[in-house]
């Protein structure tokens, strides 16, 4: 018996039938005597549908109004899930993010949670109710409705679990846990029983969309017991924890990929002290998030600087550079779209020379050109043409001995 926070993603609540099935699962926990707080995402792909409607009106819709629009998605599913529980004879109440006491920064579209006041949730739990909370949303100190960024319901769940001191936070999704690669791309990927917070954080940051990166950050910080599992089966999931007894001896634990990468090259920047600082401060001031950076000098006086951004940020990056061309003093800007960042992750690669070399060898063997590279203690990333993503991810997965024979099951709508 204890307090459990669960989160059900879009596919898991994608139809009325699935919502009723989720209600049954919650009831089975309730019957075991647990207090239940349940975070839900918008049904199916409804957030995408809402974004698309906004984009039909404007390429740059007001961020405030976009948050107002997107938060309606979660309100649909929390209300329906509460009704589903009522229909089965259980007491439940749905709460929006702000009713649940979630306060965020005053930023739209990617607000961080500042604090959660769990009083209302605790009062509802004390009445014996299942509390259903809208994921992905909160309220700023100015009283504005905000969203946490796409996929942010995971972060709502983990931070709620932390503030309620829950015994466990279970993330229910359309696959049975965290795999050695995206099972949609690598059918031979294997499910991990456990993974460390650090490895999971790298995988999530490098594109493994199964968990919102900030949810892993929060789980690590507040020591939340986090489990990823399937809402379609009773299978055990993957535990994300401090020290995972992962497949010992393996250098690489997983392969991640991010298909939304663009490369920008600023040609002919003056090669002097402060150039990089000016360039990247200008980009940061304009909210352009930069990832991999490479500087190459071709003459003593000038230098070229290449960097990657998310595909969605490309236009903003190019506009920012153009608007600041005179101050920055470069000759021209080139860019390339349709790139993928493919990464290998594993704490076993610390102090293990030759891991990057092996990755380059595998990609070269498949005639995949590498456009940029970045490394850290526990990962190596290569930027490659998007058309070769599947080949690259599968080849690396095989080369690092991660393939299993049994094919992973992914539930879709
Ligand atoms: P939800 O709507 O439940 O939040 P998401 O689509 O956000 O679901 O996350 C689940 C998806 O994450 C899976 O369907 C899978 O395609 C993708 N994914 C990417 N990398 C991995 C991985 N390493 N392990 C498991 N799933 C992954
Ligand atoms: N509904 C939001 C999205 O699609 C939040 C989430 O699902 O986590 O991004
Ligand atoms: Mg998700």
């Amino acid at each position: 018996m204890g307090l459990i926070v669960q989160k059900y993603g879009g596919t898991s609540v994608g139809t009325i039938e699935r919502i009723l099935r989720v209600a049954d699962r919650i009831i089975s926990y309730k019957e075991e005597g647990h207090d239940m707080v349940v975070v839900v995402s918008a049904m199916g792909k409804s957030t995408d549908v809402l974004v698309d409607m906004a984009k039909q009106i404007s390429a740059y819709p007001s961020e405030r109004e976009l948050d107002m629009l997107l938060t309606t998605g979660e309100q649909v599913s929390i209300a329906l899930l509460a009704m589903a529980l009522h229909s089965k004879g259980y007491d439940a109440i749905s709460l929006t993010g702000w009713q649940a006491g979630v306060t965020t920064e005053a930023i739209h579209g990617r607000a961080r949670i500042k604090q959660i006041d769990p009083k209302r949730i605790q009062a509802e739990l004390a009445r014996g109710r299942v509390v259903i909370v809208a994921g992905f949303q909160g309220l700023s100190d100015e009283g504005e409705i905000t969203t946490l960024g796409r996929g942010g319901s995971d972060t709502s769940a983990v931070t709620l679990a932390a503030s309620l001191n829950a015994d466990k936070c279970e993330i229910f999704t359309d696959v049975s846990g965290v795999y050695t690669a995206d099972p949609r791309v690598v059918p031979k990927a294997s499910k991990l029983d456990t993974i460390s917070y650090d490895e999971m954080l790298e995988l999530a940051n490098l594109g493994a969309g199964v968990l919102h990166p900030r949810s892993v950050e929060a789980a690590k910080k507040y020591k939340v017991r986090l489990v990823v599992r399937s809402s379609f089966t009773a299978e055990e999931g993957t535990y994300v924890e401090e020290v995972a007894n992962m497949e010992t001896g393996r250098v690489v634990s997983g392969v991640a990929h991010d298909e939304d990468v663009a490369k920008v090259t600023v040609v002919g920047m003056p090669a002097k002290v402060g150039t990089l600082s000016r360039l990247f401060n200008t980009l940061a001031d304009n909210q352009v998030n930069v990832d991999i950076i490479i500087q190459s000098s071709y003459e003593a006086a000038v230098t070229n600087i290449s960097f990657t951004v998310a595909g969605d940020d490309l236009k903003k990056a190019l506009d920012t550079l153009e608007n600041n061309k005179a101050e920055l003093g470069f000759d021209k800007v080139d860019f390339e779209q349709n790139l993928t960042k493919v990464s290998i992750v594993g704490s076993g690669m610390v102090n293990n020379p030759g891991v990057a070399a092996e990755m380059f060898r595998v990609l070269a063997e498949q005639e995949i050109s590498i456009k940029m590279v970045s490394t850290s203690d526990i990962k190596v990333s290569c930027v490659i043409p998007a058309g070769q993503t599947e080949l690259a991810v599968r080849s690396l997965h095989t080369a690092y001995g991660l393939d299993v024979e049994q094919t992973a099951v992914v539930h879709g709508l």
Side-chain angles (χ1 to χ4, degrees):
M1 253 173 53
L3 171 60
I4 296 183
V5 174
Q6 296 185 333
K7 177 256 171 178
Y8 293 88
T11 313
S12 308
V13 294
T15 62
I16 296 298
E17 193 208 325
R18 287 181 182 182
I19 289 178
L20 289 165
R21 215 185 302 156
V22 165
D24 287 336
R25 194 186 284 267
I26 297 168
I27 288 168
S28 69
Y29 279 74
K30 196 67 190 146
E31 286 299 320
E32 285 172 11
H34 299 294
D35 281 337
M36 298 299 295
V37 174
V38 180
V39 174
V40 274
S41 295
M43 290 174 73
K45 300 256 171 267
S46 61
T47 310
D48 291 337
V49 173
L50 294 171
V51 170
D52 187 59
M53 283 198 264
K55 292 269 156 94
Q56 285 179 43
I57 293 177
S58 160
Y60 293 111
S62 146
E63 291 188 322
R64 178 190 186 275
E65 303 307 332
L66 193 58
D67 277 358
M68 188 64 87
L69 179 70
L70 298 193
T71 46
T72 63
E74 271 67 17
Q75 277 180 231
V76 171
S77 45
I78 54 170
L80 290 172
L81 182 55
M83 291 174 198
L85 283 157
H86 297 164
S87 75
K88 292 172 187 283
Y90 285 78
D91 200 1
I93 183 165
S94 64
L95 298 175
T96 59
W98 45 103
Q99 285 176 315
V102 180
T103 306
T104 73
E105 297 170 338
I107 293 175
H108 289 291
R110 59 193 149 81
R112 285 184 166 261
I113 293 175
K114 290 207 313 194
Q115 62 189 51
I116 297 179
D117 175 356
K119 269 203 299 291
R120 173 77 188 267
I121 295 181
Q122 284 161 340
E124 301 295 351
L125 287 174
R127 291 194 181 113
R129 293 176 162 166
V130 173
V131 182
I132 300 162
V133 181
F136 170 64
Q137 55 177 253
L139 194 70
S140 72
D141 286 331
E142 284 85 5
E144 294 290 355
I145 292 171
T146 57
T147 61
L148 311 183
R150 297 303 306 269
S153 295
D154 299 333
T155 301
S156 308
V158 173
T159 49
L160 275 168
S163 76
L164 290 161
N165 215 355
D167 296 292
K168 194 158 51 159
C169 180
E170 294 185 305
I171 306 287
F172 285 91
T173 185
D174 54 11
V175 287
S176 342
V178 179
Y179 281 72
T180 47
D182 185 341
R184 286 177 204 267
V185 176
V186 183
K188 290 180 176 175
S190 58
K191 195 187 84 191
L192 300 165
D193 294 332
T194 58
I195 185 165
S196 68
Y197 289 124
D198 288 337
E199 285 175 312
M200 189 62 239
L201 192 55
E202 282 285 4
L203 284 175
N205 272 321
L206 294 167
V210 64
L211 283 176
H212 193 231
R214 276 157 45 198
S215 71
V216 187
E217 235 172 71
K220 179 176 157 81
K221 184 164 170 193
Y222 298 107
K223 303 215 178 325
V224 173
R225 227 173 131 221
L226 184 61
V227 191
V228 180
R229 52 184 300 197
S230 169
S231 68
F232 294 87
T233 67
E235 235 177 295
E236 284 266 328
T238 303
Y239 279 82
V240 188
E241 49 197 31
E242 195 62 56
V243 182
N245 53 356
M246 293 204 37
E247 288 72 11
T248 39
R250 255 187 200 171
V251 174
V252 172
S253 332
V255 183
H257 69 281
D258 175 358
E259 284 176 292
D260 183 33
V261 176
K263 176 184 170 190
V264 179
T265 302
V266 187
V267 180
M269 288 283 288
K272 55 184 187 201
V273 173
T275 293
L276 284 174
S277 158
R278 263 199 315 284
L279 174 61
F280 289 104
N281 275 306
T282 305
L283 290 164
D285 289 346
N286 288 277
Q287 321 299 332
V288 178
N289 238 325
V290 170
D291 183 17
I292 303 175
I293 300 172
I294 290 180
Q295 177 175 218
S296 54
S297 297
Y298 62 95
E299 276 175 28
V302 281
T303 179
N304 289 352
I305 298 157
S306 297
F307 58 88
T308 60
V309 291
D312 268 359
D313 270 359
L314 178 63
K315 185 166 168 18
K316 204 160 46 169
L318 297 177
D319 287 349
T320 301
L321 291 169
E322 202 46 51
N323 296 338
N324 293 278
K325 188 168 185 207
E327 299 90 281
L328 294 172
F330 57 83
D331 290 339
K332 64 166 185 163
V333 174
D334 288 334
F335 67 91
E336 212 176 328
Q337 284 169 286
N338 299 323
L339 299 172
T340 289
K341 182 170 68 174
V342 56
S343 309
I344 51 171
V345 173
S347 38
M349 69 174 72
V350 185
N351 297 328
N352 196 332
V355 178
E358 169 68 1
M359 183 176 188
F360 303 154
R361 188 194 62 73
V362 173
L363 295 178
E365 205 172 80
Q366 303 297 332
E367 307 210 359
I368 297 169
S369 63
I370 301 171
K371 294 173 180 289
M372 287 172 117
V373 177
S374 119
T375 65
S376 81
D377 267 359
I378 65 166
K379 66 115 190 192
V380 184
S381 301
C382 294
V383 176
I384 61 165
Q388 288 171 304
T389 305
E390 204 173 273
L391 179 63
V393 176
R394 287 185 184 169
S395 308
L396 291 166
H397 197 267
T398 306
Y400 287 102
L402 300 173
D403 284 359
V404 289
E405 279 319 310
Q406 201 186 346
T407 303
V409 179
V410 182
H411 295 265
L413 265 185

